[in-house]
Amino acid sequence: MIQRLFKDTLVYGVSAIFSRGLSLISLPIYARILAPADYGALDMFMVIGTLANLVITLEINQALSRFLHEETSERRRVMASTALWFAVAAYVAALAAALVASDWLCRQLLGNLRYLSAFRLSLCVISLNGVFYILQSQLRFELLSKEYAKVSVVYALSTLVFGVLLGKLLGFGLEGIIFSQLIAAMLGSVLSFSRLPGRYGFLFDGGRLRSMLAFSLPLVPSALATFFTLYANRIMLNTLASLDSVGMFGIGARIAGSVGLLIVGLQAALTPLIYTYYKEPETPARLARIVHGFVAGAFTCCLALGLFAPEILSILVPSEYREAANLVLMLSLATLLSQMYIFFPGIAISKRTVLQLGIFAATALFGLAVNWVLVSFWEAFGAALATLLSSTLFISLWIAVSQRLYPLPLRIGRLVTAALLVLVAGLFGACIQAHMAPGWVLLVAKAGLVVVFAACTVVAGLISREDLQIIFGKVTSRLGF
């Protein structure tokens, strides 16, 4: 399992690094094309799209992921086709209704009709992106990691190239950037479908649809709760502050999101393997070993990103965006904590979706409340702090419940200590930043903090020297050294 996990993680991870790398390249371009309010509007379109993709297809993709591996080849084809055509029909119907009511929706969601044309275009992007997500996910369900990676790269590259062409060179601004996403979704959908010969047909089974929806429907409230957990920050900023604050938060989140590269490839590879091997007695210990190593490496990367955020933003974005550096450490930690549930599969394995709903609902309510309070006082900084607090509550509840259903031999005390240490190091780094003049001495001091923290994780036993040697050997072997 671990060998296959490493292989698929590397494939998914390399494609994710490339895709997110292109996204980071687009950051300084978009920041120079768009004013903070326009960037905030683009961020809100993303939020709306995320909500639509959760609700419109009723999370049927989750059911497909759970049951596909238990079916024979022909029955898998019927199931995949049924899910696809259901999703296409749902998106077409939702798009038609949304376009009819677009004036009212734009006014309610963005507060005015200034962005009406961009909003209508974004509705088309949301629908096509939803279909693309279904097709691309099928590649992952079929364990076609290389094909998945190729499609991801084409999508990211198309978004960047056409975004620069339409948004910058041809001067279409926000509408041009959104249209580039539409083109990328079209290309990605066609490419994904072509890489799945024989997986789909003009097949539709109402009974299988009902069985999939019976599993996925209870997940929709959980998905909505997750949505509000993740995006209450932007919603509250848009409601209580302004689109400029949303744009500032979006820049910080985009930089912080680069740490998601550490888990994107792992997530895509790990989930199918867990469902395949969870009954084997050695799997819990292997998962615990992965968790310990991941926390050691990921927290170190979060600290480095947070400490060097001022330097990164000074290179990437205009001066009006650089206050976002204060948000990066909190948002990078929040990003990781909100995604680390994949390491704890007890709820999914036992199919206890009611427990999942309870966790997400509690986190969502907490997130809405704490965002309402903190955004009122500190706007974007308050939203970042509220996001970190919500993510911490979420992963704590998830681990507590999952450990009862599928226990892993974790070193909880050392994991908590690592989390506290990274916050202390971040505060110390902020003090250094405030009291030292920019220059090489400041850079060396911050780098020293990162090295000390990394050494502490090794001393604490979260990652062993043997694991470091194995990882280094595997990576250098894959890279041809």
Side-chain angles (χ1 to χ4, degrees):
M1 175 182 172
I2 289 182
Q3 289 183 348
R4 180 61 185 267
L5 173 64
F6 185 86
K7 175 185 174 182
D8 288 352
T9 298
L10 193 60
V11 173
Y12 289 126
V14 169
S15 69
I17 289 171
F18 183 83
S19 300
R20 295 288 181 90
L22 292 178
S23 179
L24 287 176
I25 292 173
S26 72
L27 178 61
I29 299 173
Y30 290 177
R32 285 166 174 80
I33 296 173
L34 306 175
D38 294 338
Y39 198 95
L42 183 64
D43 230 34
M44 287 305 298
F45 294 152
M46 178 270 295
V47 173
I48 296 166
T50 302
L51 176 60
N53 291 334
L54 292 175
V55 174
I56 291 173
T57 58
L58 304 177
E59 287 286 84
I60 197 170
N61 215 40
Q62 298 285 350
L64 192 62
S65 170
R66 178 65 184 87
F67 297 121
L68 195 66
H69 296 282
E70 298 175 356
E71 302 289 350
T72 62
S73 178
E74 183 57 32
R75 294 175 70 181
R76 289 171 71 171
R77 184 167 180 258
V78 173
M79 182 175 287
S81 300
T82 299
L84 175 63
W85 300 127
F86 169 77
V88 170
Y91 277 115
V92 169
L95 176 60
L99 287 175
V100 169
S102 58
D103 287 38
W104 180 82
L105 287 171
C106 185
R107 188 178 293 108
Q108 296 300 313
L109 296 172
L110 298 179
N112 56 65
L113 296 179
R114 174 185 171 189
Y115 297 103
L116 180 60
S117 60
F119 177 70
R120 288 171 174 166
L121 188 57
S122 73
L123 294 176
C124 300
V125 173
I126 289 167
S127 298
L128 192 53
N129 259 331
V131 175
F132 166 62
Y133 174 70
I134 296 287
L135 291 167
Q136 189 190 34
S137 296
Q138 186 68 23
L139 294 170
R140 183 164 59 90
F141 301 156
E142 300 284 350
L143 301 182
L144 299 173
S145 57
K146 292 182 179 179
E147 301 302 324
Y148 180 98
K150 292 175 184 176
V151 171
S152 299
V153 169
V154 169
Y155 179 86
L157 190 59
S158 301
T159 302
L160 176 61
V161 171
F162 287 105
V164 173
L165 176 63
L166 298 173
K168 180 68 173 177
L169 299 182
L170 297 182
F172 289 107
L174 179 60
E175 286 83 358
I177 290 172
I178 296 172
F179 196 77
S180 72
Q181 297 173 353
L182 185 67
I183 296 172
M186 290 179 181
L187 292 174
S189 298
V190 171
L191 187 59
S192 297
F193 192 84
S194 68
R195 293 296 188 271
L196 292 164
R199 264 70 168 198
Y200 294 110
F202 292 103
L203 305 168
F204 190 87
D205 187 324
R208 293 189 183 280
L209 177 62
R210 286 190 294 273
S211 65
M212 284 190 284
L213 291 179
F215 176 85
S216 67
L217 271 173
L219 299 178
V220 174
S222 298
L224 289 173
T226 305
F227 168 81
F228 285 110
T229 299
L230 296 176
Y231 297 109
N233 38 46
R234 290 170 171 87
I235 294 170
M236 290 298 178
L237 281 171
N238 187 41
T239 302
L240 301 176
S242 64
L243 282 175
D244 293 85
S245 296
V246 178
M248 191 70 65
F249 185 91
I251 291 291
R254 183 72 67 88
I255 296 295
S258 60
V259 301
L261 295 173
L262 300 171
I263 203 166
V264 167
L266 188 62
Q267 183 177 19
L270 186 63
T271 302
L273 291 176
I274 287 175
Y275 287 146
T276 303
Y277 297 109
Y278 73 89
K279 293 182 181 178
E280 296 186 2
E282 63 271 20
T283 297
R286 290 175 175 173
L287 277 175
R289 181 179 172 187
I290 293 169
V291 171
H292 296 148
F294 177 82
V295 167
F299 280 12
T300 301
C301 291
C302 284
L303 179 60
L305 187 62
L307 292 180
F308 290 99
E311 289 77 14
I312 295 171
L313 286 172
S314 69
I315 296 171
L316 293 181
V317 299
S319 57
E320 60 262 35
Y321 286 104
R322 290 178 189 168
E323 290 183 11
N326 299 324
L327 316 178
V328 171
L329 177 58
M330 290 186 291
L331 291 177
S332 61
L333 288 171
T335 298
L336 286 178
L337 293 176
S338 66
Q339 297 298 315
M340 281 182 59
Y341 69 91
I342 65 166
F343 297 115
F344 308 98
I347 296 174
I349 289 172
S350 62
K351 304 178 185 178
R352 304 288 290 275
T353 53
V354 174
L355 293 175
Q356 178 174 319
L357 173 59
I359 292 172
F360 283 129
T363 307
L365 291 174
F366 176 79
L368 287 169
V370 74
N371 269 282
W372 182 275
V373 173
L374 296 180
V375 168
S376 299
F377 285 102
W378 298 313
E379 296 191 356
F381 184 85
L385 178 57
T387 303
L388 178 58
L389 294 174
S390 299
S391 298
T392 302
L393 176 64
F394 164 73
I395 196 61
S396 300
L397 294 175
W398 189 277
I399 292 174
V401 173
S402 183
Q403 283 291 89
R404 291 179 176 273
L405 301 172
Y406 190 79
L408 309 181
L410 297 173
R411 298 173 176 177
I412 295 293
R414 299 184 184 186
L415 294 174
V416 173
T417 300
L420 294 176
L421 281 177
V422 76
L423 292 175
V424 171
L427 289 173
F428 190 61
C431 293
I432 293 175
Q433 182 77 39
H435 292 90
M436 292 183 67
W440 67 268
V441 176
L442 175 62
L443 296 177
V444 169
K446 292 195 286 190
L449 266 179
V450 175
V451 171
V452 169
F453 177 80
C456 288
T457 64
V458 176
V459 172
L462 289 179
I463 184 169
S464 66
R465 294 179 180 83
E466 292 76 11
D467 285 340
L468 288 173
Q469 292 171 354
I470 291 172
I471 293 171
F472 181 76
K474 289 285 187 180
V475 171
T476 53
S477 174
R478 286 285 178 181
L479 295 178
F481 297 107

